[in-house]
């Protein structure tokens, strides 16, 4: 990559600082310029120093060099400086020439994806002459210098023995400019000739160089935007546009501390913003909401919410009509008056097929009032109702970029907005999956404020900062490699070990003595010596085994123990006895049932007292059982003496007024309340066919509630809660299906689709208007080919299975093959587990040989030996321990394994 090639050239660049020899013979300009005057404001960065050689020697003797030297650029730079000194007789002349003179190194875009370095050195021609003469006498055989003109200035170019031009140099007054890119040298000449151009010096001239510093790093919004344009897969987006016009520049002195690269110095910011932190700041409350699955975090923590409104994103284009609605129905009614100045934007890991999950946290002194005002605004805007998850009411706003319209263009990227409250904080997310992720981690304690596995980086999130931006390198690395363009992605992947030796990157702004000061921190792992490591499968040993008197035929299924928030396990043996096992492996109770369980295991709060009971169904009875093994009042009960095929649990609005959605072998659908009473319109709802998969309830944003069933003959049935058909007739999706449908919210169209695949391999999407929006036939090479849709354990995402002959292919939701594996057995069971980020597992259980094979989505086996299993396995991800808890059944034994993440 050219950026690194430019560093390879550095030794010639340094030699050309001696261009006084050439100037001595040809031309000398008397105008004195500052190095920064020939550098564009679009430079990605500028490093300026008056102690070039000393700074270099300090760097290579610091522990951070053990990381930096792994990058080709730094290693070549070191080698070529040594070579250059040897060309000059090995007398250390280079160090004497550089120290005491202004030297800059700047990075510039030279193409759509390429960057080059420009070096400038302020020197006197008398110093350069003898040095250059020495270099001339020691040039390699066949190498040469050649002179040309550009805008009446001489440009000296160096060609190697193969006649390849490697560097260009020009002397502008006492200033030598050097680059492997002739374009950058020519640009420097244009800046020198046209003093009125806006150069980098005009940005920082009011910030004097600190004579006690070994060097300073200069950064501007335009420059960082230039970098993102070159490396990003999308050259134009909101972040780039905002950076391009940001009115600020930072001049940061380099400090090498133990296990830390630190840059610190003044910030020039032209907007009327005071970065004094909020005196009401309650970081402890915020940290109890920040998920451990956070990749990066933006903190705005100012004296008042109205001070934060002075930080504007001028690149955001608001819709005038929508801004007017917000002004009239929210702002003029004092919506922001109760807000503190604390805003935190979280970039969360991917989940449920969505890569960009955002969560905005906003503290308020009256959260109930804020929620009510949002409900009023929601009603005025025509959005429908709310949903519930984990005891939280979730409001839905369908208009795009609601937070950006509310907060002066900040926080774009919300195609839709889901809102709830936790204690005194409003939570805004851009996806349903993101909201579920945040609430699940709050419930489980997997947050920065409660978890022992919270990242070390949390110590750099402090209440005394007015603004900060933090990237957790390990966590966000996968996202970065996906978002950059292909050429940069391969580079990042190749040197991932070296990059990830830096644990996080933090940029912070504090108000000191009335002026903003910026701090850039790059902590690194002490003693790190990056190497490329390969991950191999491991041999798992059981962490626990529990034996029963009879063979296990159902489970293991995990449920929550409401007493201590641990996991209990439900199984059933061949004598139809249900067993509840606690986390210590002890049996809580056993209870004979009327037959094999045909449903999932659900939990309800029957008495609304936070004590949970389980619900399961056999073919003829619905059972409700408390934690002592006692039946709930009126349980068990049957369904008109019909054979139960499937049971699903419905709780429309988190009111604990439960409904049981049941399908029977007779082709009927029933909706019953928690006492077993059949509801009007569903007594029964005749469909004329059995169902594939459990009938389900979906609340579709902007459309309301739907009761959905897929008939065995391929018909899609859509009803409202009263059992009334939502379409004029049932929709024929296909001839037949081996697996059910999943409701999936497409992040691109922002619409909820029902997705399925027919027995013949046709992928079908349908909306909730009963319209088929997509059909595509997968390749079918064999009339006995098998096609299935396999949802993850939470029904958030899915994969497709295509089995052709003896090869099984796993395809993602976009029908792209993730991996293939050869399996000859016929009786196979497939399971997909998604725990966010890169934590996805796929299980294939061979029911004939009684083995389970566990893969990641790259097709890598996770264990050297398959796990013994005679049915579905159960996996829980324990975020607090960084491990998977895997439970299997085999014969009369329930076995538990622990697999490190």
């Amino acid at each position: 990559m050219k950026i690194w090639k430019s560093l390879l050239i550095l030794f010639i660049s340094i030699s050309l600082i001696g261009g006084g020899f050439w100037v001595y013979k040809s031309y000398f300009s008397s105008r004195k310029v500052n190095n920064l005057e020939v550098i564009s404001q679009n430079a990605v960065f500028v490093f300026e120093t008056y102690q070039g050689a000393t700074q270099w020697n300090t760097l290579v003797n610091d522990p951070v060099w053990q990381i930096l030297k792994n990058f080709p650029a730094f290693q070549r730079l070191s080698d070529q400086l040594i070579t250059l000194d040897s060309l000059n007789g090995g007398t250390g002349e280079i160090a004497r020439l550089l120290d005491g003179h202004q030297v800059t190194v700047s990075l510039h875009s030279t193409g759509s994806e390429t960057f080059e370095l420009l070096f400038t050195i302020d020197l006197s021609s008398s110093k350069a002459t003898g040095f250059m003469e020495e270099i001339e006498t020691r040039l390699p055989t066949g190498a040469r210098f050649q002179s040309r003109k550009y805008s009446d200035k001489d440009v000296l170019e160096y060609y190697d023995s193969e006649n390849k031009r490697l560097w260009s140099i020009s002397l502008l007054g006492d200033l030598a400019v050097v680059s492997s890119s002739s374009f950058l040298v020519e640009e420097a000449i244009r800046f020198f000739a046209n003093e009125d151009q806006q150069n980098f010096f005009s940005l920082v001239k009011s910030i004097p160089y600190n004579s006690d510093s070994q060097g300073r790093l200069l950064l501007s919004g335009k420059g960082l935007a230039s970098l993102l344009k070159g490396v990003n897969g999308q050259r134009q987006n909101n972040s780039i546009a905002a950076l391009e016009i940001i009115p600020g520049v930072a001049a940061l002195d380099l400090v090498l501390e133990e296990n830390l690269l630190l840059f610190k110095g003044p910030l020039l910011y032209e907007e009327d913003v005071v970065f004094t932190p909020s005196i009401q700041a309650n970081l402890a409350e915020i940290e109890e909401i920040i998920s451990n699955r956070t990749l990066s975090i933006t903190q705005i923590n100012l004296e008042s919410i109205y001070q934060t409104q002075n930080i504007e994103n001028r690149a955001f284009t608001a819709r005038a009509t929508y801004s007017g609605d917000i002004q009239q129905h929210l702002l003029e009614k004092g919506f922001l008056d109760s807000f503190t100045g604390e805003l935190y934007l979280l970039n969360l890991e991917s989940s449920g097929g969505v890569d960009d999950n955002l969560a905005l946290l906003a503290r308020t002194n009256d959260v109930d009032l804020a929620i009510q005002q949002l409900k009023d605004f929601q009603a005025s805007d025509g959005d429908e109702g709310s949903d519930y998850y984990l005891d939280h009411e979730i409001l839905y706003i369908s208009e795009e970029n609601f937070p950006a319209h509310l907060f002066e263009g900040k926080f774009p990227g919300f195609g839709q907005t889901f809102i709830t409250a936790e204690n005194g904080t409003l939570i805004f997310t851009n996806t349903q999956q993101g909201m579920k992720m945040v609430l699940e981690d709050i419930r489980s304690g997997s947050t920065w404020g409660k978890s022992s596995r919270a990242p070390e980086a949390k110590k750099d999130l402090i209440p005394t900062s007015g603004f900060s931006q933090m990237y957790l390198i390990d966590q966000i690395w996968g996202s970065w490699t996906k978002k950059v363009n292909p050429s940069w992605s391969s580079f990042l992947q190749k040197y991932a070990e070296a990059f990830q030796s830096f644990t996080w990157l933090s940029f912070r702004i504090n108000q000191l003595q009335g002026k903003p000061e910026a701090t850039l921190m790059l902590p690194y792992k002490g003693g790190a010596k990056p190497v490329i490591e390969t991950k191999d499968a491991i041999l798992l040993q059981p962490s626990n085994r529990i034996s029963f008197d009879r063979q296990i035929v159902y489970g293991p299924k995990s449920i929550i123990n409401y007493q201590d928030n641990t996991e209990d396990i439900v199984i059933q043996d061949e004598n139809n006895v249900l067993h509840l096992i606690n986390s210590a492996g002890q049996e809580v109770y056993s209870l004979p049932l009327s037959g094999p369980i045909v449903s999932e295991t659900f939990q309800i709060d029957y008495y609304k007292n936070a004590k949970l009971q389980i619900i399961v169904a056999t073919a003829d009875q619905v059972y409700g059982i408390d934690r002592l093994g006692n039946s709930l009042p009126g349980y068990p009960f049957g369904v008109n003496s019909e054979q139960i095929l499937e049971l699903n649990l419905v709780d429309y609005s988190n009111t604990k007024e439960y409904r049981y959605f049941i399908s029977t072998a007779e082709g009927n659908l029933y909706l019953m309340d928690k006492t077993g009473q059949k509801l009007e319109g569903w007594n029964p709802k005749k469909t004329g066919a059995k169902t594939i998969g459990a009938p389900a309830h979906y609340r579709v944003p902007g459309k309301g509630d739907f009761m959905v069933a897929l008939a065995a003959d391929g018909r899609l049935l859509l009803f409202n809660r009263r059992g009334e058909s939502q379409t004029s007739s049932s929709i024929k999706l296909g001839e037949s299906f081996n697996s059910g449908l999943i409701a999936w919210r497409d992040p691109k169209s922002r619409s909820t689709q029902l997705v399925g695949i027919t027995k013949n391999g046709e992928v079908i999407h349908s909306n909730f208007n009963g319209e088929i929006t997509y059909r595509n036939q997968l390749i079918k090479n064999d009339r006995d080919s098998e096609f299935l849709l396999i949802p993850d354990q939470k029904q958030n995402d899915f994969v497709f299975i295509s089995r052709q002959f003896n090869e099984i292919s796993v395809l993602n939701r976009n029908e792209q093959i993730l991996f293939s594996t050869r399996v000859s057995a016929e009786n196979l069971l497939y399971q997909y587990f998604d725990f966010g980020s890169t934590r996805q597992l796929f299980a294939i259980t061979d029911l004939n040989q009684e083995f389970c094979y566990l893969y990641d989505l790259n097709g890598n086996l996770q264990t050297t030996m398959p796990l013994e299993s005679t049915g579905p396995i159960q996996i829980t991800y324990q975020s607090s321990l960084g491990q998977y808890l895997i439970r299997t059944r085999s014969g009369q034994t329930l076995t538990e394994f622990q697999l490190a993440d």
Side-chain angles (χ1 to χ4, degrees):
M1 199 166 292
K2 289 187 176 180
I3 181 175
W4 306 115
K5 292 179 182 176
S6 63
L7 280 171
L8 175 62
I9 310 310
L10 183 61
F11 79 98
I12 295 296
S13 303
I14 299 298
S15 71
L16 293 178
I17 65 173
F21 171 72
W22 155 57
V23 173
Y24 178 77
K25 292 182 177 181
S26 58
Y27 173 80
F28 179 74
S29 171
S30 60
R31 185 162 77 86
K32 183 72 174 176
V33 296
N34 185 290
N35 298 37
L36 300 175
E37 292 183 57
V38 300
I39 296 174
S40 166
Q41 290 185 0
N42 290 326
V44 174
F45 69 80
V46 181
F47 185 75
E48 178 186 18
T49 182
Y50 285 80
Q51 301 180 48
T54 301
Q55 179 61 68
W56 176 258
N57 290 331
T58 301
L59 180 65
V60 297
N61 288 302
D62 191 86
V64 74
W65 180 248
Q66 296 302 316
I67 300 171
L68 298 178
K69 73 178 184 180
N70 288 274
F71 298 111
F74 286 95
Q75 187 56 61
R76 290 170 183 169
L77 179 57
S78 176
D79 293 343
Q80 299 310 327
L81 284 174
I82 295 171
T83 301
L84 178 60
D85 194 53
S86 67
L87 283 174
N88 198 245
T91 60
E93 183 63 27
I94 291 176
R96 288 190 291 273
L97 187 64
L98 290 182
D99 278 346
H101 294 266
Q102 184 185 19
V103 177
T104 68
V105 182
S106 53
L107 180 66
H108 302 257
S109 172
T110 55
S112 61
E113 300 178 5
T114 57
F115 298 86
E116 299 285 1
L117 289 167
L118 174 70
F119 303 89
T120 72
I121 305 96
D122 182 30
L123 48 86
S124 64
S125 58
S126 59
K127 274 195 173 185
T129 303
F131 177 74
M132 189 61 191
E133 287 176 343
E134 183 72 21
I135 295 292
E136 288 263 304
T137 63
R138 295 174 181 270
L139 283 177
T141 304
R144 62 189 173 87
F145 287 112
Q146 181 173 308
S147 180
R148 65 177 177 88
K149 290 281 188 181
Y150 180 79
S151 295
D152 293 328
K153 293 294 181 184
D154 287 300
V155 177
L156 190 66
E157 297 183 313
Y158 175 81
Y159 290 81
D160 66 7
S161 58
E162 296 179 356
N163 204 34
K164 293 179 181 178
R165 185 183 58 79
L166 299 182
W167 327 279
S168 298
I169 178 174
S170 185
L171 197 73
L172 308 176
D174 287 343
L175 187 65
V177 293
V178 183
S179 179
S180 60
S181 167
S182 60
F183 166 78
L184 293 182
V185 172
E186 291 168 1
E187 182 181 59
I189 292 173
R190 292 195 296 272
F191 275 110
F192 179 78
N194 300 284
E195 300 178 46
D196 295 333
Q197 288 193 82
Q198 292 297 304
N199 52 50
F200 215 99
F201 181 68
S202 63
L203 286 178
V204 299
K205 60 184 178 183
S206 63
I207 308 177
Y209 186 89
N210 179 6
S211 59
D212 294 328
S213 170
Q214 291 192 1
R216 66 176 181 172
L217 181 68
L218 307 176
L219 299 172
S220 72
K222 286 183 180 179
L224 295 176
S226 176
L227 173 66
L228 290 181
K229 281 185 178 180
V231 303
N232 209 335
Q234 279 186 305
R235 285 185 57 80
Q236 294 294 340
N237 59 37
N238 282 318
S239 297
I240 293 173
L243 279 171
E244 282 185 309
I245 60 175
I246 195 168
V249 62
L252 310 176
D253 293 340
L254 169 63
V255 181
L256 295 175
E257 295 188 354
E258 184 178 4
N259 299 334
L260 177 65
L261 269 177
L262 175 66
F263 299 87
K264 191 172 186 177
L267 171 75
L268 293 182
Y269 190 73
E270 296 177 7
E271 300 287 356
D272 184 23
V273 179
V274 177
F275 288 95
T276 302
S278 170
I279 60 174
Q280 303 179 65
N282 189 341
L283 183 58
E285 181 176 305
I286 292 293
E287 286 183 335
E288 291 193 353
I289 302 175
I290 299 176
S291 165
N292 279 352
R293 291 185 272 184
T294 297
L295 309 180
S296 67
I297 183 167
T298 302
Q299 174 195 39
I300 299 177
N301 175 39
L302 302 184
E303 288 183 315
S304 75
I305 191 64
Y306 295 105
Q307 185 64 235
T308 71
Q309 295 291 67
N310 291 332
I311 302 176
E312 296 184 44
N313 175 8
R314 300 187 187 278
F316 176 72
T317 303
R319 287 197 304 109
T321 54
Y322 193 45
S323 294
D325 290 342
I326 290 175
Q327 180 69 30
Q328 178 183 355
H329 297 289
L330 282 177
L331 300 183
E332 289 180 3
K333 295 183 177 181
F335 176 66
L336 293 181
D337 290 351
S338 66
F339 281 55
T340 68
E342 299 161 86
L343 300 171
Y344 292 79
L345 181 69
L346 315 181
N347 179 12
L348 302 168
E349 65 185 30
S350 60
S351 176
V354 180
D355 290 332
D356 295 310
N357 289 301
L358 302 176
L360 173 63
L361 313 181
R363 278 225 322 123
T364 172
N365 292 320
D366 194 339
V367 72
D368 293 334
L369 174 61
I371 287 291
Q372 186 57 54
Q373 289 176 314
L374 285 167
K375 286 182 177 180
D376 295 342
F377 172 74
Q378 184 186 41
S380 71
D381 205 41
D383 281 318
E384 290 192 20
S386 58
D387 201 353
Y388 291 84
Y389 189 72
L390 295 181
D391 299 324
H392 286 71
E393 182 179 15
I394 301 169
L395 308 183
Y396 170 71
I397 294 178
S398 60
E399 288 287 350
E400 189 171 2
N401 282 318
F402 171 68
H405 282 85
L406 185 63
F407 296 112
E408 298 294 340
K410 297 185 290 296
F411 320 121
F414 284 69
Q416 63 238 316
T417 306
F418 301 85
I419 309 170
T420 193
E422 173 68 13
N423 295 326
T425 301
L426 290 176
I427 304 172
F428 304 75
T429 68
N430 66 335
T431 64
Q432 288 175 314
Q433 294 91 332
M435 181 61 77
K436 289 180 179 180
M437 195 187 312
V438 171
L439 295 180
E440 287 168 1
D441 288 345
I442 291 172
R443 168 70 64 87
S444 67
S446 183
T447 63
W448 284 22
K450 292 184 177 180
S451 172
S452 61
R453 290 180 57 84
E456 184 186 359
K458 66 174 283 189
K459 69 183 183 183
D460 269 354
L461 187 68
I462 57 177
T464 55
S465 288
F467 173 91
S468 70
Q469 178 82 51
M470 181 187 296
Y471 298 93
L472 283 73
I473 304 298
D474 276 344
Q475 290 88 333
I476 204 170
W477 192 253
S479 175
W480 278 355
T481 56
K482 288 180 182 178
K483 290 182 178 179
V484 298
N485 58 51
S487 60
W488 277 92
S489 179
S490 61
F491 178 81
L492 292 181
Q493 291 178 59
K494 183 175 182 179
Y495 295 100
E497 291 292 329
F499 279 113
Q500 289 175 282
S501 295
F502 294 98
T503 48
W504 69 86
L505 182 154
S506 174
F507 180 76
R508 179 192 302 160
I509 301 176
N510 298 79
Q511 195 81 8
L512 296 177
Q513 298 180 346
K515 296 180 179 180
E517 180 173 277
T519 305
L520 176 65
M521 291 175 285
L522 273 166
Y524 58 89
K525 301 169 185 174
K529 296 181 179 180
V531 294
I532 303 299
E533 296 181 358
T534 57
K535 290 186 176 180
D536 298 321
I538 63 173
L539 179 63
L540 284 188
Q541 298 294 333
S543 57
N544 196 12
R545 289 184 187 272
I546 305 170
S547 296
F548 297 85
D549 295 334
R550 298 288 180 176
Q551 182 171 333
I552 304 170
V553 296
Y554 175 87
K557 303 288 184 180
S558 66
I559 62 172
I560 298 298
N561 178 350
Y562 65 83
Q563 295 174 326
D564 58 11
N565 208 36
T566 58
E567 278 191 340
D568 292 339
I569 295 296
V570 175
I571 63 163
Q572 187 183 31
D573 66 29
E574 61 185 344
N575 281 355
N576 302 324
V577 177
L578 180 147
H579 303 266
L580 182 68
I581 310 300
N582 67 19
S583 59
Q586 301 165 333
E587 184 169 275
V588 180
Y589 66 77
S590 60
L591 182 71
L593 304 183
S594 62
I597 297 173
V598 298
S599 69
E600 288 292 325
T601 300
F602 300 99
Q603 285 185 284
I604 66 171
D605 183 358
Y606 185 88
Y607 298 106
K608 300 184 181 182
N609 61 358
K611 296 181 179 180
L612 303 179
Q613 303 83 35
I614 66 170
I615 300 294
V616 294
T618 63
D620 60 349
Q621 298 282 325
V622 176
Y623 287 83
I625 309 165
D626 69 18
R627 187 166 173 78
L628 300 177
N630 302 315
S631 293
L632 295 173
Y635 288 77
F637 55 80
V639 184
N640 281 3
S641 300
E642 295 184 26
Q643 180 184 342
I644 299 172
L645 285 182
E646 300 277 1
L647 176 145
N648 213 337
L649 180 67
V650 178
D651 184 4
Y652 296 122
S653 299
N654 204 44
T655 59
K656 302 179 182 178
E657 296 296 335
Y658 302 102
R659 301 289 185 261
Y660 303 138
F661 200 6
I662 296 170
S663 65
T664 68
E666 288 76 10
N668 294 324
L669 295 174
Y670 289 88
L671 194 63
M672 311 173 77
D673 67 17
K674 66 180 182 181
T675 68
Q677 295 299 309
K678 304 172 189 66
L679 302 182
E680 184 178 351
W682 298 95
N683 189 19
K685 176 62 63 178
K686 297 181 182 295
T687 66
K690 297 179 181 179
T691 61
I692 302 296
H697 161 260
Y698 299 109
R699 178 161 289 175
V700 181
K703 290 185 175 295
D705 293 301
F706 289 82
M707 313 301 286
V708 180
L710 175 64
D713 56 11
R715 288 178 296 127
L716 173 63
L717 308 173
L718 298 174
F719 305 98
N720 62 18
R721 286 160 57 168
R722 297 182 297 276
E724 300 164 343
S725 178
Q726 295 293 79
T727 57
S728 57
S729 61
S730 57
I731 304 98
K732 186 73 170 179
L733 297 183
E735 289 304 318
S736 57
F737 292 74
N738 282 330
S739 54
L741 304 177
I742 186 172
W744 177 65
R745 190 163 182 83
D746 186 343
K748 293 182 179 178
S749 67
R750 297 190 290 129
S751 64
T752 303
Q753 303 280 318
L754 290 165
V755 181
I757 187 169
T758 67
K759 282 184 178 180
N760 290 323
E762 186 178 28
V763 177
I764 298 173
H765 295 191
S766 171
N767 62 26
F768 282 82
N769 295 325
E771 302 163 337
I772 295 175
T773 59
Y774 175 81
R775 287 185 183 273
N776 185 50
Q777 177 63 51
L778 299 185
I779 295 173
K780 182 178 181 181
N781 296 320
D782 178 14
R783 68 177 184 178
D784 295 324
S785 296
E786 181 181 31
F787 297 96
L788 298 166
L789 182 150
I790 308 297
D792 69 19
Q793 78 282 10
K794 292 184 178 179
Q795 299 278 321
N796 285 336
D797 198 9
F798 59 94
V799 294
F800 295 112
I801 295 298
S802 170
R803 181 169 185 179
Q804 315 275 344
F805 303 106
N806 291 330
E807 184 172 77
I808 295 170
S809 295
V810 180
L811 295 79
N812 64 15
R813 71 194 78 86
N814 298 318
E815 301 158 38
Q816 300 165 329
I817 294 178
L818 297 170
F819 71 92
S820 298
T821 186
R822 298 189 67 82
V823 180
S824 59
E826 293 298 324
N827 194 11
L828 300 177
L829 178 67
Y830 308 100
Q831 292 174 272
Y832 174 41
F833 300 90
D834 185 350
F835 301 101
S837 187
T838 57
R839 295 183 291 272
Q840 289 89 27
L841 296 173
F842 190 79
I844 301 177
T845 301
D846 182 338
L847 296 176
N848 292 334
Q849 297 189 51
E850 301 182 356
F851 285 136
C852 176
Y853 301 87
L854 200 59
Y855 300 86
D856 65 17
L857 291 193
N858 293 317
N860 300 312
L861 277 169
Q862 301 300 287
T863 61
T864 56
M865 298 292 290
L867 308 177
E868 291 186 5
S869 179
T870 55
I873 67 172
Q874 189 275 327
I875 303 181
T876 297
Y877 179 68
Q878 298 178 308
S879 58
S880 62
L881 299 175
Q883 67 179 18
Y884 303 98
L885 196 59
I886 303 170
R887 301 177 178 100
T888 68
R889 72 178 199 236
S890 180
Q892 299 169 218
T893 304
L894 174 67
T895 306
E896 183 179 279
F897 301 92
Q898 295 173 349
L899 175 64
D901 180 6

